[in-house]
Amino acid sequence: MTKRELYNHLELQNQLTAATELLASLEAAAGPRAQLLDGMPHAPGVHDCVGNLATEIADTRTGIEALRAKITHSETAVAACIGTIGDLQTRMIFRLRFICGFTWKEVAALIGGSNTECSVKNICYRYMKANLK
């Protein structure tokens, strides 16, 4: 396992989060809307906003499923690599960061003690420098 593979897995998780948020916003936009009753004529040409959004929603769902498949595939290798870490705290830091996808600040809060964002990041980077390519 290389550093690049760990960070690729993390990037896939970030992409999944962004795609899920996009899907939620598309679904909200496709919901019922209030009709504008201003009495003024509207621009010529009729278009189906909901129909257009339905296509985007379907494409986004397909993309999300593809991302989930990639994440599942890479997560087995990442989990196997993390499982070889001997130190419990270091292993937990790697698991929270690279499998759960938490930020360094969230990792530090979950680890607890006197650990800060900087300290958990340094533990991770020291381990990577010593043990990963």
Side-chain angles (χ1 to χ4, degrees), residues 6-126:
L6 282 173
Y7 281 105
N8 283 343
H9 181 74
L10 187 60
E11 179 59 29
L12 287 174
Q13 289 178 327
N14 292 337
Q15 289 175 8
L16 179 62
T17 301
T20 304
E21 290 171 2
L22 174 63
L23 179 62
S25 68
L26 288 172
E27 288 174 340
R33 299 180 191 184
Q35 186 176 9
L36 182 61
L37 300 174
D38 59 3
M40 298 298 294
H42 298 286
V46 177
H47 63 281
D48 182 12
C49 290
V50 174
N52 293 340
L53 287 172
T55 304
E56 291 297 323
I57 289 170
D59 289 344
T60 304
R61 283 186 178 149
T62 302
I64 286 172
E65 291 307 314
L67 278 171
R68 284 188 178 140
K70 286 181 184 178
I71 288 171
T72 302
H73 178 70
S74 70
E75 193 166 302
T76 55
V78 170
C81 174
I82 291 172
T84 63
I85 298 173
D87 180 55
L88 178 63
Q89 184 180 33
T90 305
R91 187 170 54 244
M92 183 60 72
I93 290 169
F94 270 78
R95 186 173 304 284
L96 291 172
R97 177 67 175 157
F98 295 105
I99 294 199
C100 298
F102 291 122
T103 64
W104 288 118
K105 187 174 184 176
E106 293 169 329
V107 171
L110 290 168
I111 294 294
S114 60
N115 288 298
T116 64
E117 179 179 348
C118 194
S119 67
V120 294
K121 193 185 304 184
N122 286 337
I123 291 169
C124 178
Y125 292 156
R126 277 188 214 118

